[in-house]
């Protein structure tokens, strides 16, 4: 007999309109859709066309109106400020309505963009939901990005208002955000009309007369705003993510499809019901933060946790267990790197034993490949299923997972299990032909993508088609490579582009190369992601100097490291570079990145037949040894 997963999976592909139409009945609509899936303008697909709804209404008011007003909606837990603040659904709705009023007072109307550059404080969630309430489009920018990156996003999104805080706290360091914002606005060609600033007690921001508005003062004066009905196809947010150049991609998310898909995933994928406590230990600046700190748990009527801290050091590797036991968390979702950090500080899991984790049922991991060692350590020490699942900023929710609310499949280490209902995942070769089970190729998804996925890139349909739809006609290109085994388990092995994954953060080595190339003494360079015990990968730069440069290598390395931090931000974790005489290349002049990578990671390699001069590989090993890599060969 077919299990619930099989039934749902088959129906979702055979009858997507019936499947998602039924899921949509679980949501509140001001006006029902005319058509569940509009495929009249391929390859652009639209979900719930003609429908009108409001995301913030579904996340908050809906629950207040249906008797959950006194239940906790959000718990802000901040070990770095020693604060725990709890909001019921009614309280959160009221704060959101008031801040929506503040935005209206600054002139924000439906369709306007609002950039949110915030640390992990409750006001970040309030700002996002307030935008949704009045139909404004938010674009959250991760706090670890530098002013230049923020400026690029300001120029692209053209926000009427930017919301920020005076500072963020990184373990013990206070990071002033306001000077970064001021610098970004100086750099950008487009200027926002107003900036709303939350003054945190650790750092007072200097305000610019006429432009900057104090959050508290504006809230005290504001009238609560009502929910504004929007079309299901109207954008809810833009989230910029790394592409293969320094110009990030503005991933667009619609309102209706996003609400339907995310609410459905809470039970199907995460086995969460209304009233459960759910925690995604990520950051609102990333897609996981959008989908699973804010929107999905609130659509479902669960309690979500917003955590301002790190897995270790705030104050120690026991903080996750303290939060799980103190707030009765049922499921935790985080990146494997967080568990590698905990495992490093508490290898025997001693701190876990100090807490009552009896409510804790499932650990979910995503954001990077889950190494079997981390999964097994977690299984042993937590005694709960550990579920790897695979997704991307573009998809907004999991492509593959062990759907815990539908059917549990035995875990195969190294695989995020099977395609989630809605996703027709295939593996193809370069000619877009499907390969046999077990063979590696490009992981693609047959169109149409399910609701909640990106309908396009912000004001750039051409780049959307060119980036995702052109190479394999009829399919969405994930830019991940992998295979599917005989039992339909999917394995995600590596990216097919220059994206690397550093501590669960997605970064473009191409963007870092653009920065290095701008250094006056650099003739040529390559940036690669090499294996790292904690962060999965870290970027390493190889630079060839221009003829005649005779400054010490260390000086130049220090400068390029500083440039990446200054232009991209500390999140790039670019700390290592080395000067080499030349880079290994093919006879046609292509840099042999794969070969350098293998040498750096101590993997077996053969000099490619096309190499210009094999002697150079010995030089590369020496250069890598100097920076502590490629050690075992020596
Ligand atoms: N604002 C300002 N700076 C930030 C920042 C933010 N929001 N987030 C990170 N940074 C800075 C850090 O302070 C650090 O700066 P430094 O070079 O001065 O030390 C740098 O960016 C790199 O940060 P990070 O990659 O977080 O490394 P870390 O060594 O501080 O911490 C981990 C390592 C593994 C503990 C941490 O990366 C982590 O918790 N990862 C979980 C990842 C995650 O949630 N991913 C989301 C997808 S699910
Ligand atoms: P992001 O857009 O930041 O979420 O990064 C998406 C990329 O992270 C994917 O394309 C993968 O390369 C990688 N990724 C995310 N989750 C997994 C996973 N469970 N297994 C392997 N790779 C993953």
């Amino acid at each position: 007999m077919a299990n619930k997963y099989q039934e749902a999976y088959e129906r979702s592909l055979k009858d997507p309109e019936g499947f998602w139409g039924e899921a949509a009945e679980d949501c509140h609509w001001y006006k029902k859709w005319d058509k569940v899936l509009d495929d009249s303008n391929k390859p652009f697909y639209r979900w719930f066309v003609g429908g009108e709804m409001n995301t913030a209404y579904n996340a908050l008011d809906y629950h207040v109106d249906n008797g959950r007003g006194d239940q906790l909606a959000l718990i802000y837990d901040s070990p770095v400020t020693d604060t725990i603040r709890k909001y019921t659904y009614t309280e959160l709705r009221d704060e959101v309505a008031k801040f929506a009023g503040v935005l209206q007072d600054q002139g924000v109307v439906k369709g306007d963009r609002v950039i949110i550059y915030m640390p992990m404080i409750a006001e970040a969630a309030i700002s996002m939901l307030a935008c949704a309430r009045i139909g404004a489009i938010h674009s959250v920018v991760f706090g670890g990005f530098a002013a230049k990156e923020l400026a690029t996003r300001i120029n692209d999104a053209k926000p009427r208002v930017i919301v920020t805080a005076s500072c963020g706290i990184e373990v013990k360091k206070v990071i002033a955000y306001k000077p970064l914002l001021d610098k970004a606005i100086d750099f950008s060609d487009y200027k926002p009309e107003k900036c709303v600033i939350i003054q945190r007690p650790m750092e007072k921001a200097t305000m610019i007369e006429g432009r900057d508005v104090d959050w508290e003062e504006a809230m005290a004066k504001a009238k609560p705003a009502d929910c504004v009905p929007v079309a299901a196809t109207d954008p809810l947010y833009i989230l910029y993510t790394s592409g293969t150049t320094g110009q990030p991609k503005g991933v667009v998310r619609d309102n209706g499809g996003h609400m339907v898909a995310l609410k459905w995933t809470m039970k199907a994928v995460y086995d969460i019901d209304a009233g459960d406590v759910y925690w995604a230990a990520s950051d609102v600046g990333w897609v996981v933060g959008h989908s699973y700190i804010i929107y999905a748990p609130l659509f479902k009527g669960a309690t979500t946790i917003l955590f301002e801290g790190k897995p270790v050091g705030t104050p120690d590797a026991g903080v996750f267990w303290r939060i799980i036991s103190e707030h009765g968390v049922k499921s935790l979702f985080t990146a494997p790197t967080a568990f590698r950090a905990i495992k490093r500080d508490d290898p025997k899991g001693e701190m876990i034993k100090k807490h009552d984790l009896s409510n804790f049922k499932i650990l979910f991991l995503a954001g990077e490949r889950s190494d079997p060692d981390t999964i097994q350590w977690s299984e042993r020490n937590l005694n709960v299923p550990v579920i790897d699942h695979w997704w991307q900023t573009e998809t907004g929710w999991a492509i593959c997972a062990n759907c815990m609310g539908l059917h549990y499949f035995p875990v195969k280490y190294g695989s995020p299990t099977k395609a989630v209902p809605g996703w027709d995942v295939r593996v193809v070769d370069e000619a877009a032909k499907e390969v046999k089970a077990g063979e590696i190729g490009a992981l693609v998804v047959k169109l149409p993508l399910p609701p909640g996925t990106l309908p396009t890139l912000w004001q750039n349909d051409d780049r959307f088609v060119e980036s995702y739809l052109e190479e394999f006609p009829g399919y969405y290109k994930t830019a991940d490579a992998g295979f599917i085994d005989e039992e339909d388990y999917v394995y995600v092995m590596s990216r097919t582009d220059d994206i690397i994954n550093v501590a669960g953060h997605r970064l473009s080595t191409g963007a870092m190369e653009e920065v290095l190339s701008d250094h006056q003494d650099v003739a040529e360079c390559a940036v690669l992601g090499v294996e790292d015990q904690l962060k999965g990968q870290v970027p390493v730069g190889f630079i060839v100097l221009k003829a005649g440069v005779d400054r010490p290598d260390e000086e130049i390395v220090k400068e390029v490291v500083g440039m990446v931090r200054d232009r991209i931000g500390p999140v790039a974790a670019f700390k290592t570079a080395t000067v080499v005489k030349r880079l290994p290349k093919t006879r046609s002049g292509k840099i042999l990145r794969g070969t350098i990578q293998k040498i750096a990671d101590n993997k077996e390699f053969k000099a490619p037949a096309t190499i210009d001069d094999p002697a150079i590989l010995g030089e590369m090993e020496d250069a890598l040894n100097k920076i502590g890599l490629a050690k075992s060969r020596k």
Side-chain angles (χ1 to χ4, degrees):
M1 210 180 76
N3 61 47
K4 266 163 79 182
Y5 163 81
Q6 276 164 329
E7 274 171 18
Y9 188 72
E10 275 158 32
R11 178 155 185 236
S12 74
L13 298 196
K14 273 199 202 116
D15 175 23
E17 296 206 59
F19 184 86
W20 292 111
E22 209 172 284
E25 298 289 350
D26 195 24
C27 303
H28 172 271
W29 297 85
Y30 297 113
K31 176 179 171 289
K32 280 251 170 101
W33 53 93
D34 300 323
K35 195 151 177 33
V36 175
L37 173 64
D38 175 6
D39 60 1
S40 59
N41 183 27
K42 286 178 189 160
F44 299 91
Y45 295 86
R46 294 289 180 265
W47 289 91
F48 303 105
V49 172
E52 281 180 25
M53 37 70 68
N54 182 282
T55 289
Y57 181 86
N58 275 274
L60 300 168
D61 307 54
Y62 175 84
H63 304 299
V64 177
D65 295 349
N66 286 282
R68 290 193 175 275
D70 294 335
Q71 185 203 301
L72 289 182
L74 185 141
I75 302 173
Y76 163 61
D77 191 313
S78 167
V80 294
T81 58
D82 211 8
T83 313
I84 294 178
R85 181 153 180 213
K86 301 180 178 180
Y87 297 81
T88 63
Y89 269 97
T90 304
E91 286 164 347
L92 191 60
R93 187 220 27 206
D94 292 348
E95 288 291 293
V96 166
K98 228 190 309 160
F99 192 63
V102 170
L103 290 174
Q104 283 181 335
D105 290 343
Q106 311 316 314
V108 176
V109 295
K110 183 169 151 181
D112 280 347
R113 273 79 57 212
V114 174
I115 281 190
I116 298 172
Y117 183 58
M118 301 267 260
M120 284 290 287
I121 53 180
E123 288 82 354
I126 292 168
S127 308
M128 291 164 75
L129 289 158
C131 290
R133 193 169 183 91
I134 55 172
I137 303 165
H138 62 69
S139 185
V140 183
V141 179
F142 178 63
F145 281 122
K148 275 255 163 46
E149 287 286 322
L150 179 55
T152 309
R153 288 152 174 81
I154 294 173
N155 277 335
D156 198 63
K158 302 190 172 39
R160 189 179 285 265
V161 167
I162 300 185
V163 187
T164 194
S166 57
C167 65
I169 300 155
E170 278 294 294
V171 189
K172 291 196 174 74
K173 274 182 298 182
V174 172
I175 314 271
Y177 274 39
K178 180 64 174 18
L180 293 172
L181 172 68
D182 291 341
K183 222 158 124 189
I185 296 175
D186 275 351
F187 288 145
S188 62
D189 300 323
Y190 175 86
K191 311 287 176 197
E193 286 165 28
K194 297 279 179 194
C195 296
V196 182
I197 321 286
I198 298 168
Q199 294 283 16
R200 302 187 79 188
M202 317 85 200
E203 170 90 25
K204 279 258 169 279
T206 316
M207 305 291 269
I208 294 180
E209 188 68 42
R211 188 198 74 185
D212 294 346
V213 176
D214 179 88
W215 172 290
E216 291 292 336
E217 286 171 18
M219 284 290 263
K221 282 190 264 173
K223 280 206 208 71
D226 281 339
C227 292
V228 173
V230 299
T233 49
D234 280 342
L236 168 66
Y237 69 76
I238 310 165
L239 179 57
Y240 289 90
T241 189
S242 298
T244 50
T245 65
Q247 184 64 34
K249 292 171 174 163
V251 169
V252 173
R253 194 82 59 213
D254 69 8
N255 273 276
H258 172 254
M259 164 182 74
V260 172
L262 256 56
K263 189 168 186 181
W264 173 85
T265 63
M266 279 315 279
K267 181 67 190 169
V269 178
Y270 300 98
D271 199 21
I272 289 289
D273 291 299
D276 287 341
V277 183
Y278 176 83
W279 178 24
S282 177
D283 189 289
V284 288
W286 307 119
V287 67
V288 176
H290 282 62
S291 295
Y292 291 105
I293 297 175
I294 314 290
Y295 290 113
L298 296 178
F299 287 144
K300 191 69 189 173
T303 302
T304 188
I305 296 194
L306 196 137
F307 168 59
E308 187 181 29
K310 298 252 176 179
V312 292
T314 61
D316 55 34
V319 67
F320 274 29
W321 325 127
R322 193 268 297 160
I323 291 180
I324 289 173
S325 80
E326 189 169 334
H327 305 306
V329 172
K330 187 174 169 197
S331 291
L332 166 67
F333 173 178
T334 192
T337 189
F339 267 69
R340 288 198 295 270
I342 293 171
K343 184 169 64 146
R344 186 191 56 185
D345 283 15
D346 181 20
K348 295 207 174 105
E350 299 293 348
M351 291 187 160
I352 299 175
K353 295 178 196 137
K354 293 189 192 147
H355 298 276
D356 171 12
L357 302 187
S358 52
N359 276 330
F360 185 51
K361 297 288 180 277
I362 312 171
L363 169 65
F364 290 90
L365 298 175
E368 57 175 326
R369 194 174 153 76
S370 281
D371 51 294
D373 194 48
T374 300
I375 298 188
Q376 286 160 358
W377 182 90
S378 313
E379 284 174 339
R380 254 195 334 271
N381 286 288
L382 292 168
N383 211 14
V384 297
V386 178
I387 305 302
D388 178 17
H389 58 331
W390 168 52
W391 50 303
Q392 311 183 308
T393 304
E394 289 84 346
T395 68
W397 54 284
I399 309 166
C400 287
N402 211 335
C403 290
M404 297 302 280
L406 295 174
H407 183 81
Y408 173 77
F409 288 97
V411 167
K412 291 193 191 182
Y413 296 118
S415 166
T417 318
K418 305 192 183 206
V420 174
W423 296 92
D424 191 352
V425 181
R426 315 271 178 111
V427 181
V428 295
D429 64 15
E430 281 165 11
K433 264 190 55 202
E434 267 186 73
V435 301
K436 288 207 281 289
E439 271 179 34
I440 292 192
L443 284 163
V444 296
V445 183
K446 196 160 181 293
L447 298 176
L449 294 180
T453 54
L454 82 170
T456 190
L457 293 175
W458 178 247
Q459 297 194 325
N460 207 338
D461 286 348
D462 290 348
R463 192 174 179 199
F464 168 67
V465 172
E466 181 199 309
S467 307
Y468 303 106
L469 307 177
E470 228 161 55
E471 191 170 338
F472 304 109
Y475 297 99
Y476 163 79
K477 175 176 84 169
T478 65
D480 279 311
F483 65 93
I484 303 180
D485 74 8
E486 303 275 358
E487 291 178 312
D488 296 330
Y489 281 64
V490 177
Y491 291 76
V492 184
M493 309 302 288
S494 58
R495 290 284 300 196
T496 57
D497 54 14
D498 73 351
I499 299 291
I500 58 170
N501 209 306
V502 181
H505 307 144
R506 170 170 161 178
L507 297 161
S508 158
T509 54
M512 292 186 225
E513 286 175 6
E514 283 177 23
V515 176
L516 263 50
S517 306
D518 271 356
H519 188 284
Q520 58 191 9
D521 296 335
V522 172
E524 206 179 13
C525 67
V527 175
L528 297 171
V530 305
E531 281 177 10
D532 181 79
Q533 287 272 313
L534 174 68
K535 298 193 176 190
Q537 286 183 302
V538 285
V540 171
F542 300 88
I543 45 185
V544 179
L545 300 181
K546 286 181 182 156
V549 173
D550 66 351
R551 296 169 56 213
D553 291 354
E554 308 78 67
E555 235 176 61
I556 295 167
V557 164
K558 210 168 149 211
E559 285 164 12
V560 295
V561 166
M563 281 170 76
V564 174
R565 194 176 174 92
D566 192 45
R567 297 223 199 143
I568 298 179
V571 66
F574 183 81
K575 302 220 159 135
T576 315
T578 182
V579 174
V580 291
K581 284 201 201 72
R582 51 196 182 142
L583 291 165
K585 289 189 184 164
T586 61
R587 279 189 283 276
S588 61
K590 252 179 86 180
I591 297 172
L592 289 163
R593 290 160 197 282
T595 311
I596 311 178
Q597 178 118 34
K598 283 194 180 123
I599 303 176
D601 290 345
N602 288 316
K603 299 234 167 83
E604 281 308 310
F605 70 94
K606 272 208 293 223
T610 50
I611 193 165
D612 184 27
D613 174 8
I616 195 180
L617 297 180
E619 288 172 31
M620 284 310 291
E621 275 193 81
D622 291 342
L624 285 160
N625 283 170
K626 269 205 274 174
I627 51 170
L629 294 166
K631 268 197 193 121
S632 65
R633 223 175 291 278
K634 289 278 151 184

